[in-house]
Amino acid sequence: MPLIYADLVWLLNFCFDAMLLWLAAIMLKRRVRLWRLMLAALFGSLLVLLVFTPFAYMMSHIVTKLIISFFIVWICFGFSRFRFFIENVLAFYFATFVMGGGMVAFHFLLQSELTMYRSGWISHSTSISWLFVVVMFPVLWMLSKAQMGTIREKKLRFEHIIDVRVTCFGQTVLLKGLVDSGNQLRDPLTNTPVMIVEWQPFAHMLPAAVLQMIHKCVYTDDIPSEWVSRMRFIPYRAVGVEQQLLVAIKPDDVQWLDDKRWMSVNKALIGFSPATLSADGEYKCIVHPHIVMSQAS
């Protein structure tokens, strides 16, 4: 008969409950007091000890598990309103399923690999060892925490990405634009906000002389006459780069999509960047915040 150490079972469950609650707080960006988190983990872990009592049958019932999880979440996050409480419960369940499913997946993955290459040495038992759980749980927790941070960053960026269309000489280009509050670039003469775009989507309409100026930042007299009145040179300074001139044009029209309605921009210049603005192609232009704020107001 195997020997079971109740104190180790309690300690393991206490640590797991605490880390699951912490992961749920990270997902929902909740500010949790440490003493509440520890008290909730202590409550959940002490109930595990009922497995070693005649009341063990109660712990296996789904209603008991639901009630215990509700109490754990209530102790940790409190109860301000019903929706707030349900969000916390679902996040706690999600963290539990992610961690549990991840450990099972890694277990069977590693077991199949070891069985394939060392079939003469490893046992084919499907039981998950305590050592595996103790090692893999923190690893999966850190991976999940890092992934949650990436998801939040992506969500934050996509909340500020809008559809933009630029019309020049009767040709329209559709772009994904990032509304960046750090972009305060304006024409020093007219105070017109400048929207920075990648040059590639406009390559089919730009004359060779203009493309040469974009890449070399050197003025040339070969610009077609219809482009001369549209051309602007905007001084700008980037981080770690000396002051340069950005080649810009005055378009016929600039619009951005507000929900399902296209909003026209009264004044805007289009500055061409010779470099790629987004490494993963999420957006092709950086929208001046004044362009969006002025129209929204």
Side-chain angles (χ1 to χ4, degrees):
M1 184 176 180
L3 188 62
I4 300 176
Y5 296 93
D7 54 346
L8 291 180
V9 173
W10 168 81
L11 180 60
L12 194 62
N13 280 275
F14 173 80
C15 295
F16 284 4
D17 287 342
M19 295 182 76
L20 290 173
L21 289 168
W22 191 5
L23 185 59
I26 291 173
M27 287 191 292
L28 296 177
K29 300 177 69 174
R30 304 277 197 240
R31 296 178 63 89
V32 181
R33 294 183 179 275
L34 182 60
W35 70 268
R36 294 185 69 104
L37 188 146
M38 292 301 176
L39 185 61
L42 179 62
F43 173 78
S45 61
L46 288 177
L47 291 174
V48 174
L49 298 179
L50 290 177
V51 175
F52 305 103
T53 69
F55 301 99
Y57 69 95
M58 297 178 55
M59 296 299 298
S60 61
H61 200 282
I62 185 172
V63 176
T64 305
K65 295 178 180 178
L66 288 173
I67 294 175
I68 291 174
S69 62
F70 289 165
F71 270 102
I72 291 174
V73 173
W74 172 70
I75 294 172
C76 181
F77 298 102
F79 187 97
S80 58
R81 59 186 184 277
F82 183 74
R83 181 178 177 181
F84 176 86
F85 178 73
I86 294 299
E87 286 179 353
N88 296 334
V89 171
L90 293 178
F92 178 65
Y93 283 152
F94 180 75
T96 305
F97 295 152
V98 167
M99 300 300 295
M103 283 198 295
V104 171
F106 271 106
H107 169 71
F108 281 104
L109 175 64
L110 296 176
Q111 186 186 54
S112 61
E113 291 292 328
L114 291 172
T115 303
M116 181 181 299
Y117 294 107
R118 304 180 183 179
S119 57
W121 173 77
I122 191 169
S123 170
H124 291 262
S125 173
T126 57
S127 60
I128 301 179
S129 68
W130 279 54
L131 179 61
F132 177 85
V133 173
V134 171
V135 172
M136 289 306 302
F137 190 91
V139 172
L140 285 171
W141 186 89
M142 288 186 291
L143 291 175
S144 300
K145 180 176 179 294
Q147 188 61 28
M148 290 301 165
T150 303
I151 292 174
R152 283 205 307 272
E153 180 183 351
K154 288 275 187 181
K155 182 177 182 294
L156 182 62
R157 277 194 288 173
F158 276 105
E159 285 178 348
H160 293 81
I161 290 180
I162 60 176
D163 291 314
V164 179
R165 61 186 183 189
V166 180
T167 303
C168 191
F169 290 109
Q171 301 184 63
T172 301
V173 177
L174 296 175
L175 304 167
K176 289 288 186 182
L178 173 68
V179 183
D180 184 9
S181 59
N183 175 24
Q184 298 295 327
L185 190 61
R186 292 177 179 266
D187 182 2
L189 298 178
T190 62
N191 203 35
T192 302
V194 180
M195 184 171 67
I196 305 173
V197 303
E198 295 182 3
W199 65 274
Q200 291 91 338
F202 298 85
H204 64 284
M205 69 172 67
L206 296 175
V210 176
L211 288 174
Q212 182 180 357
M213 286 194 300
I214 293 173
H215 292 286
K216 297 184 179 180
C217 296
V218 177
Y219 180 78
T220 176
D221 295 329
D222 298 333
I223 304 175
S225 57
E226 64 270 20
W227 282 83
V228 173
S229 60
R230 294 177 179 267
M231 300 296 300
R232 303 288 189 276
F233 293 92
I234 313 298
Y236 77 100
R237 184 190 301 274
V239 178
V241 180
E242 296 181 356
Q243 183 167 310
Q244 298 181 359
L245 291 177
L246 184 71
V247 178
I249 63 169
K250 183 179 180 181
D252 295 331
D253 186 35
V254 175
Q255 295 180 335
W256 61 279
L257 187 62
D258 181 15
D259 195 9
K260 296 183 179 180
R261 177 185 174 190
W262 286 99
M263 307 288 290
S264 295
V265 179
N266 297 327
K267 293 175 59 178
L269 295 177
I270 306 300
F272 296 101
S273 170
T276 302
L277 298 177
S278 173
D280 47 11
E282 292 177 355
Y283 52 89
K284 295 292 184 180
C285 66
I286 298 178
V287 182
H288 196 290
H290 178 77
I291 292 176
V292 177
M293 293 171 60
S294 61
Q295 298 305 119
S297 60

